Amino acid sequence: MCESIDVRCSDMKKKNPQNVKMGQLFREAREAKGWTRERLAEKMELSAQFIADLELGNSGIRLDRFAELCQLLNVNAHTALFGSVEQLPLLCRLETMLANRDDKDVRRLVAIFEAIAETYFDETEQ
Protein backbone atom coordinates (compact mmCIF):
# COMPACT_ATOMS: atom_id res chain seq x y z
CA MET A 1 0.00 0.00 0.00
CA CYS A 2 3.03 2.26 -0.11
CA GLU A 3 2.64 4.76 -2.93
CA SER A 4 5.51 6.79 -4.36
CA ILE A 5 3.84 10.08 -3.38
CA ASP A 6 3.61 9.08 0.29
CA VAL A 7 6.70 10.72 1.79
CA ARG A 8 6.37 8.51 4.89
CA CYS A 9 7.22 5.38 2.93
CA SER A 10 10.93 4.68 2.75
CA ASP A 11 13.32 1.95 1.80
CA MET A 12 15.40 1.29 4.92
CA LYS A 13 18.39 0.20 2.82
CA LYS A 14 18.55 3.34 0.72
CA LYS A 15 17.59 6.87 1.72
CA ASN A 16 15.33 8.90 -0.53
CA PRO A 17 17.51 11.79 -1.82
CA GLN A 18 14.56 14.18 -1.55
CA ASN A 19 14.12 13.26 2.13
CA VAL A 20 17.84 13.85 2.73
CA LYS A 21 17.75 17.32 1.14
CA MET A 22 14.55 18.22 2.96
CA GLY A 23 16.01 17.01 6.25
CA GLN A 24 19.13 19.11 5.75
CA LEU A 25 17.00 22.17 5.06
CA PHE A 26 14.94 21.60 8.21
CA ARG A 27 18.08 21.02 10.30
CA GLU A 28 19.67 24.24 9.03
CA ALA A 29 16.48 26.20 9.74
CA ARG A 30 16.19 24.69 13.23
CA GLU A 31 19.82 25.48 14.02
CA ALA A 32 19.42 29.03 12.66
CA LYS A 33 16.67 29.54 15.26
CA GLY A 34 18.99 28.19 17.94
CA TRP A 35 16.61 25.33 18.72
CA THR A 36 17.60 21.83 19.77
CA ARG A 37 15.90 18.81 18.29
CA GLU A 38 14.24 18.33 21.66
CA ARG A 39 12.77 21.84 21.62
CA LEU A 40 11.40 21.42 18.08
CA ALA A 41 10.01 17.98 18.98
CA GLU A 42 8.25 19.46 22.00
CA LYS A 43 6.70 22.25 19.92
CA MET A 44 5.42 19.71 17.38
CA GLU A 45 4.46 17.07 19.98
CA LEU A 46 6.80 14.55 18.35
CA SER A 47 9.80 12.63 19.63
CA ALA A 48 13.32 14.00 19.32
CA GLN A 49 14.22 10.71 17.60
CA PHE A 50 11.62 11.39 14.91
CA ILE A 51 13.11 14.86 14.34
CA ALA A 52 16.59 13.29 14.12
CA ASP A 53 15.37 10.68 11.62
CA LEU A 54 13.66 13.37 9.57
CA GLU A 55 16.76 15.59 9.52
CA LEU A 56 18.96 12.66 8.51
CA GLY A 57 16.60 11.69 5.69
CA ASN A 58 15.72 8.39 7.35
CA SER A 59 12.01 9.10 7.32
CA GLY A 60 9.42 11.23 5.65
CA ILE A 61 6.62 13.22 7.20
CA ARG A 62 2.85 13.49 6.87
CA LEU A 63 1.54 16.47 4.94
CA ASP A 64 -0.10 18.11 7.96
CA ARG A 65 3.11 17.80 9.99
CA PHE A 66 5.14 19.04 7.01
CA ALA A 67 3.02 22.20 6.82
CA GLU A 68 3.34 22.75 10.59
CA LEU A 69 7.10 22.24 10.45
CA CYS A 70 7.49 24.70 7.58
CA GLN A 71 5.58 27.33 9.54
CA LEU A 72 7.48 26.78 12.78
CA LEU A 73 10.87 26.96 11.05
CA ASN A 74 9.84 29.62 8.51
CA VAL A 75 10.77 27.33 5.63
CA ASN A 76 9.06 27.77 2.28
CA ALA A 77 7.21 24.53 1.46
CA HIS A 78 7.97 24.82 -2.25
CA THR A 79 11.69 25.11 -1.51
CA ALA A 80 11.56 22.15 0.89
CA LEU A 81 9.87 19.97 -1.72
CA PHE A 82 11.48 21.12 -4.95
CA GLY A 83 14.75 22.79 -3.99
CA SER A 84 16.13 26.26 -4.37
CA VAL A 85 14.01 28.88 -6.06
CA GLU A 86 16.96 31.18 -6.79
CA GLN A 87 16.63 30.52 -10.50
CA LEU A 88 13.10 31.94 -10.50
CA PRO A 89 12.33 35.59 -11.23
CA LEU A 90 12.70 38.17 -8.49
CA LEU A 91 8.97 38.39 -7.81
CA CYS A 92 8.81 34.68 -7.09
CA ARG A 93 11.71 35.05 -4.65
CA LEU A 94 9.88 37.89 -2.91
CA GLU A 95 6.77 35.71 -2.68
CA THR A 96 8.86 32.96 -1.12
CA MET A 97 10.28 35.35 1.47
CA LEU A 98 6.78 36.46 2.44
CA ALA A 99 5.05 33.08 2.22
CA ASN A 100 5.23 32.15 5.90
CA ARG A 101 4.81 35.64 7.37
CA ASP A 102 1.64 36.79 9.03
CA ASP A 103 -0.60 39.36 7.37
CA LYS A 104 0.58 42.21 9.59
CA ASP A 105 4.24 41.60 8.67
CA VAL A 106 3.40 41.37 4.96
CA ARG A 107 1.49 44.67 5.04
CA ARG A 108 4.36 46.33 6.90
CA LEU A 109 6.93 45.04 4.40
CA VAL A 110 4.80 46.10 1.44
CA ALA A 111 4.57 49.63 2.87
CA ILE A 112 8.35 49.71 3.31
CA PHE A 113 8.90 48.42 -0.21
CA GLU A 114 6.49 50.99 -1.64
CA ALA A 115 8.29 53.82 0.17
CA ILE A 116 11.68 52.61 -1.06
CA ALA A 117 10.40 52.18 -4.62
CA GLU A 118 8.79 55.64 -4.62
CA THR A 119 12.01 57.26 -3.39
CA TYR A 120 14.13 55.29 -5.84
CA PHE A 121 11.97 56.11 -8.85
CA ASP A 122 11.69 59.79 -7.86
CA GLU A 123 15.51 60.03 -7.73
CA THR A 124 16.05 58.20 -11.03
CA GLU A 125 13.54 60.37 -12.87
CA GLN A 126 15.32 63.61 -11.92
Side-chain angles (χ1 to χ4, degrees):
M1 290 208 195
C2 181
E3 297 178 10
S4 61
I5 59 172
D6 185 352
V7 295
R8 292 179 296 155
C9 298
S10 63
D11 180 358
M12 297 304 283
K13 296 175 187 168
K14 184 177 179 184
K15 293 181 183 181
N16 179 329
Q18 183 179 8
N19 286 354
V20 172
K21 288 179 185 177
M22 190 182 314
Q24 289 171 341
L25 180 66
F26 287 138
R27 184 187 70 242
E28 290 167 6
R30 175 185 56 78
E31 290 174 347
K33 283 186 161 285
W35 291 358
T36 62
R37 286 178 176 160
E38 290 76 15
R39 182 170 180 194
L40 178 58
E42 183 179 308
K43 287 183 173 290
M44 293 195 64
E45 298 179 356
L46 296 169
S47 72
Q49 184 59 53
F50 178 83
I51 299 297
D53 286 339
L54 181 66
E55 290 181 352
L56 295 170
N58 293 331
S59 73
I61 188 169
R62 290 188 339 228
L63 184 58
D64 60 328
R65 292 291 193 175
F66 171 78
E68 180 183 2
L69 185 60
C70 287
Q71 284 193 319
L72 277 173
L73 296 178
N74 197 31
V75 169
N76 180 273
H78 183 276
T79 302
L81 289 171
F82 304 110
S84 176
V85 295
E86 292 197 23
Q87 304 303 324
L88 299 177
L90 179 59
L91 291 177
C92 186
R93 288 184 23 214
L94 289 172
E95 180 184 16
T96 299
M97 290 170 33
L98 299 174
N100 293 319
R101 305 291 182 186
D102 66 20
D103 193 49
K104 185 178 179 181
D105 285 344
V106 171
R107 278 188 258 121
R108 191 176 297 145
L109 289 168
V110 167
I112 291 168
F113 176 75
E114 287 172 342
I116 291 169
E118 184 177 323
T119 301
Y120 173 80
F121 290 121
D122 284 347
E123 289 177 4
T124 59
E125 290 174 359
Q126 294 177 1

